[in-house]
Amino acid sequence: MTRTAQPRIARPRIAQPRIARRPAVGLAALLLLVAAAPASATPSTARHLEGTLPSGAAYVIDTPDDWNGTVLLFSHGYRPEGAPNPAVNAPDEPTKKLLLKEGYALVGSSYATSGWSVEQAVPDQLAALDAFRGEVGAALRTLAWGESLGGLITTTIAERHPGRVDGSLSMCGLVHGGVANWNSTLDATFALRTLLAPDSGASGNSGASGDSGIRLTGFKDAADAATSAKRLGERLGTAQNTADGRARIALAAALHNIPGWNDPGTPRPAPDDYPAQQANQYTAVRGLVAQPGFAWREEAERRTGGNMSWNTGVDYSAMLARSAHHKEVKALYKSAGLSLRSDLRDLARAPRVSAEPRAVRYMADHAAPSGRLSKPQFDIHTTGDALVPVQVENAYRRAVTGADRAPLLRQAYTENAGHCTFSPAEQLAAVHTITYRITSGHWDDTSPDALNSRAHQADPTTPARYAAYRPGPYPRPFQAPTQDITHHGLFR
């Protein structure tokens, strides 16, 4: 790629995040920091640059007319095998335009592979930063941010390569990590198969041969996974037509903590409207069976070299008691005249799924956050996320606290349904919040009122829905993978 001649060096301008409380003090401190900062960034006219990294991944760079010295490294979310895999450097075009208008430079890569690509994504993203430095110049500040799987990639970069970034922003991220993610997915599909397809003939990891076998892990190939998904999906559709089936689907959804409002296109059910909540959960559970539970799992198993999840030793009665949807499940079972105790007993007695050590170790090596932050991180999450339920933030907060890094983490929540359904205003408010923390050295007000004020000022045309919220416990106890491997006898 041809290098562009570097324009003259001048003092960078930083976009000023507007702070809802103590604005004069916060702004004054920020201005002092900017005045003292070395003029090492290289402002330029607006440019759009594309190229290819050594791994074969593509990268894309956008610079504004007047660069403020901060580069935002964006990590995109999961892309299934065979799907288009372009390089992107922002979550959406409206947010991208606002960031460029404020003077931020943007960079991101496509990753060398699609699928569960954390191993490839981290070095590709760091290589994209190298490309930015070569094409544009050295940044004063580097902020890593990403959404969904990209939130996990961002957190991995922040924890394992703190020298490359000054702070991080995870949006609806899988911050509980790959081990916990696949365990939680297994919990839901295991409950569905046990309760809705007791004649599937499956035992432990394997699905039985024949027309009714439903395999949950250890797939022979993508076609095998698709067959099992189709069979379980058919049982799921039949069950939704009966009161017993709806209660059991709600139980499986509760084990994964799928919220009763997870589609922003539907009205939010009343807190005690359990039938409406279950109908929403059913739609999300169908999506889980159609994609993450089988097709995406099969791709991840090929990557890791085997099954990376287990439910040996798991107490589903205790998990249900910890779930935010315990009351809903009890009410639906009672309405159906069905014994919840009996179904939980069936789950306890059903043959369990064990993990393969090499596969778990792969996930632990590449996709398991430790909580050991060295730079500040800000997490935001929608409260109605069915794909990556909001309780994962509780898991990561516990990990960070356990690593004695709690002062470096702040978390906030938007009152909306869906996965990563943030408005441009909400995303800009989050960028301003972590930018302020990086430049000032301390957190300013991260209350919902302050965040909504920043959101309105950044973009008054889109919603600002930050709300007071604290997620409940993550359904499974959150443990470091090394502890699981060493102490719990999880493997065959």
Side-chain angles (χ1 to χ4, degrees):
M1 181 174 188
T2 302
R3 293 279 299 275
T4 303
Q6 302 295 340
R8 63 181 179 83
I9 296 176
R11 183 180 301 279
R13 175 184 59 82
I14 186 167
Q16 304 292 344
R18 301 186 179 184
I19 309 303
R21 298 180 184 176
R22 312 192 306 278
V25 175
L27 183 59
L30 192 56
L31 287 172
L32 286 173
L33 285 166
V34 173
S40 57
T42 306
S44 63
T45 57
R47 287 188 292 167
H48 177 80
L49 307 171
E50 298 182 8
T52 302
L53 300 172
S55 68
Y59 70 85
V60 60
I61 295 169
D62 283 287
T63 62
D65 284 327
D66 189 6
W67 184 25
N68 65 24
T70 297
V71 60
L72 305 182
L73 174 67
F74 180 72
S75 297
H76 68 72
Y78 183 90
R79 291 173 179 170
E81 282 187 316
N85 189 31
V88 294
N89 56 17
D92 55 73
E93 280 300 313
T95 301
K96 178 176 181 176
K97 290 178 180 178
L98 287 169
L99 289 169
L100 289 170
K101 184 178 180 181
E102 290 195 355
Y104 291 96
L106 311 175
V107 61
S109 77
S110 63
Y111 319 152
T113 66
S114 54
W116 192 266
S117 55
V118 179
E119 178 186 7
Q120 292 75 26
V122 171
D124 281 344
Q125 287 291 83
L126 297 179
L129 279 180
D130 293 337
F132 180 89
R133 184 184 181 96
E135 293 293 334
V136 179
L140 293 179
R141 292 161 294 276
T142 300
L143 169 62
W145 68 319
E147 62 180 7
S148 194
L149 182 65
L152 171 58
I153 293 164
T154 293
T155 302
T156 303
I157 291 172
E159 289 188 356
R160 302 186 185 187
H161 303 276
R164 300 299 305 273
V165 298
D166 298 293
S168 47
L169 167 61
S170 171
M171 304 186 296
C172 56
L174 285 85
V175 289
H176 54 331
V179 176
N181 174 75
W182 290 113
N183 277 341
S184 185
T185 303
L186 175 64
D187 290 330
T189 58
F190 177 82
L192 292 170
R193 184 182 72 175
T194 301
L195 300 177
L196 304 184
D199 59 342
S200 66
S203 62
N205 291 45
S206 300
S209 60
D211 293 337
S212 61
I214 298 173
R215 193 187 304 272
L216 301 181
T217 67
F219 305 109
K220 299 174 183 177
D221 51 31
D224 186 28
T227 296
S228 289
K230 180 176 183 293
R231 290 172 180 170
L232 187 56
E234 290 169 351
R235 298 299 183 98
L236 188 62
T238 300
Q240 183 64 14
N241 293 323
T242 69
D244 288 8
R246 289 191 290 272
R248 287 169 170 152
I249 292 168
L251 170 56
L255 296 178
H256 193 57
N257 259 348
I258 293 175
W261 184 47
N262 52 67
D263 180 354
T266 63
R268 183 172 188 171
D272 58 352
D273 189 351
Y274 298 132
Q277 293 177 33
Q278 191 279 336
N280 291 335
Q281 288 170 327
Y282 165 69
T283 300
V285 169
R286 284 193 68 88
L288 183 145
V289 169
Q291 292 183 313
F294 292 89
W296 297 2
R297 174 183 285 279
E298 189 274 334
E299 183 276 329
E301 287 187 356
R302 276 188 281 119
R303 185 182 295 271
T304 61
N307 173 35
M308 58 283 170
S309 57
W310 67 87
N311 64 357
T312 48
V314 173
D315 184 342
Y316 284 114
S317 294
M319 277 184 60
L320 177 62
R322 290 191 294 269
S323 171
H325 309 290
H326 186 198
K327 289 183 179 179
E328 173 204 348
V329 172
K330 289 177 65 176
L332 291 173
Y333 266 81
K334 182 178 180 180
S335 177
L338 189 64
S339 171
L340 177 57
R341 180 176 298 179
S342 176
D343 274 1
L344 289 171
R345 200 159 46 234
D346 287 344
L347 288 178
R349 292 171 178 169
R352 297 305 179 95
V353 176
S354 54
E356 296 179 53
R358 62 176 178 172
V360 178
R361 289 192 179 98
Y362 178 97
M363 282 291 173
D365 287 345
H366 300 292
S370 65
R372 292 189 290 272
L373 291 169
S374 299
K375 303 288 178 65
Q377 176 159 312
F378 189 44
D379 288 2
I380 62 173
H381 218 111
T382 52
T383 58
D385 191 337
L387 185 62
V388 185
V390 67
Q391 287 79 13
V392 306
E393 299 293 346
N394 187 304
Y396 190 58
R397 180 170 51 82
R398 289 177 59 190
V400 172
T401 301
D404 293 325
R405 310 296 170 88
L408 291 173
L409 179 69
R410 290 290 185 276
Q411 296 168 312
Y413 305 93
T414 62
E415 196 68 35
N416 193 31
H419 180 55
C420 299
T421 53
F422 303 109
S423 70
E426 291 161 348
Q427 292 174 106
L428 264 290
V431 170
H432 289 171
T433 297
I434 188 63
T435 299
Y436 183 87
R437 173 60 179 81
I438 291 169
T439 54
S440 71
H442 66 269
W443 294 102
D444 207 276
D445 191 350
T446 56
S447 69
D449 285 347
L451 290 167
N452 285 330
S453 176
R454 287 170 217 158
H456 282 304
Q457 292 176 36
D459 178 22
T461 68
T462 59
R465 297 161 294 198
Y466 284 99
Y469 184 83
R470 189 177 181 86
Y474 190 68
R476 283 210 200 188
F478 184 75
Q479 298 167 314
T482 52
Q483 293 175 323
D484 289 332
I485 292 170
T486 304
H487 300 298
H488 293 278
L490 301 169
F491 305 126
R492 294 173 296 193

